[in-house]
Amino acid sequence: MGTSRNFLGDRLAWDGTKLAVTDTAIIDAKLRREALSASTSKSMQSCAARWVGERLLRSDEEDPFAPAPLGTAAHSVMEDFYDDEVYAPSRRTMRLGEKLTIRDANIMWPTPDTATSRGRWITEVKAAYEGIFEIEDPTKIKVWARELQIDGLTINGVPTNGYIDRVRVGVGKNGRRGLIVEDYKTGRVPIVRFQDDQHDQVRLYNAAIQAMTGEAPVGGALLYTKFGQAKPVDLRPAAMNKTLSTFADSWDRHNRYMESGEFPTKVSALCSWCPLVNSCPVAAAASKTVADKIKDQVHSAVELGIPVLRPGLTPISAPAAHQDSSEFVPDEEAPAAAKTPAAAHMEGSDAAPEHHQTKEETMSITEDKPWETYTAEGELNPSSYAAIGAAGLSALALSQLEKAGISPTARRAKALAATFRHITVTAQESWTGHTALADGANTRMRGFLHTILETMTPPFNGDKAAWDAWVDAAIKRCKALTSVTLYVFNDAADDAEPWADLVAGDATTAPAPTAVPEPAEEPAPEPAKVRTTRRAKPVAEPAATAPDDLDFPDDDAYDFADAA
């Protein structure tokens, strides 16, 4: 990359699976934090060694077209865009955004010889925030705060700092009016597996607002301003408790690392974007190399000059009670990687794609509590509710294939298990608005599916039309059983003689279906209302959310016979 040689050799050393700080002065000078931010908390849960490298190698001369600087520029425009003391809400138009972008470009690129770079910069910054107009009507947003600093707060016993991009006044999913916390993201929307980090950030901001005002916000969302999407964040007690517990654990880890001067490594898809990847013996053992896009920005091993005291490349199989669970355990090989976040309140601008273990690799997995979907290694926790759900659907698929006399190949088992998953999560989403296998609602749907399979045999010899009809009918039956469940819970006690509808003459016996009939046409549901803030965050399409009133069809509109 450059001409520097051995410029970290007198500060750091690789010691087994950890990065050791040999110059203790830099602990207090550059690494120790007086308060914890959401991004640093994330780093403590990931590869702490990478975090050290990023701190020590941070340069003031940053490429203005790199994702982080462009994101910072877009944040700056949106901050001013929603300043209602300077610009009336009615002026929040695309033209105002462009005017603010040009203003900043003139400061950054002031001379004629920079016209080409200036034009490119304006185009890329605008692209990073213009999706906000797809998410909301900015003129309707009632802003409560912009770039709200939360320094000086203590959250779950942890001194906290950071900035909240936007807080607005709105109506939450529960119908209450109050504050809604929102965070801008100028990177791509991550896959589900990697969303938790960004959701944790909003949940921490939610706790901060509650600490500041004495009242909990009524909603939270991530606004992906480049791609025009808004993603609501779960702020229910279970999710909040998990985030706050992780935050406290990150603070404990931070303090331990500062005292010991040793920072654990953790192999993941992010290794390819780490500034120390060319030097790290642990990454080398996992065959991790620098990403092509940043090859000219990352120092070579010689330039870094970090000595290796002990290779120590044996993966940890089961950390002892006193060991840190974030120590080296090789993750699965990933086809691509995410870019390392750069700003404290803009973490996760990109996320690593999902990856899968190869046959040649071995993996040590430390099981966790049942409500933890992923292990410390980033793998599915075998003890989790989600694993129980996935395993149950897999076993059900095998039993159904065997029962039908169908050879249970891996391809067929996967296809049928995925079909069962589709049925349960589709019905589950219509009830709760969520699709996680770990949810109790999914457990109920899996129970319904077992019952449905006793009376509706899958059309194993049927064509696609037969399968489409069967899947649709199974979903409808799950919904119908949900309707009955809600009736039993809410209204059944008010019916003094419910068996009156079953007496001879009134009760009808439905003939057992011999084939899967064409399911009755079901009216399309009303589009879910997205409760996002109308602030300077570009978001493309509103994220689908559950309706406020879960209106299941009554007996007249939707009978079990329709789903036979």
Side-chain angles (χ1 to χ4, degrees), residues 248-271:
D249 177 68
S250 293
W251 184 238
D252 289 340
R253 293 188 186 200
H254 167 274
N255 293 332
R256 290 201 307 273
Y257 300 159
M258 297 306 150
E259 292 305 315
S260 68
E262 296 180 331
F263 297 83
T265 55
K266 182 177 181 180
V267 174
S268 74
L270 290 174
C271 286

Side-chain angles (χ1 to χ4, degrees), residues 123-143:
T123 299
E124 295 198 25
V125 172
K126 286 175 59 180
Y129 68 72
E130 284 183 342
I132 193 69
F133 294 95
E134 299 180 49
I135 300 174
E136 61 191 21
D137 177 357
T139 65
K140 306 298 184 185
I141 296 300
K142 184 174 179 58
V143 178

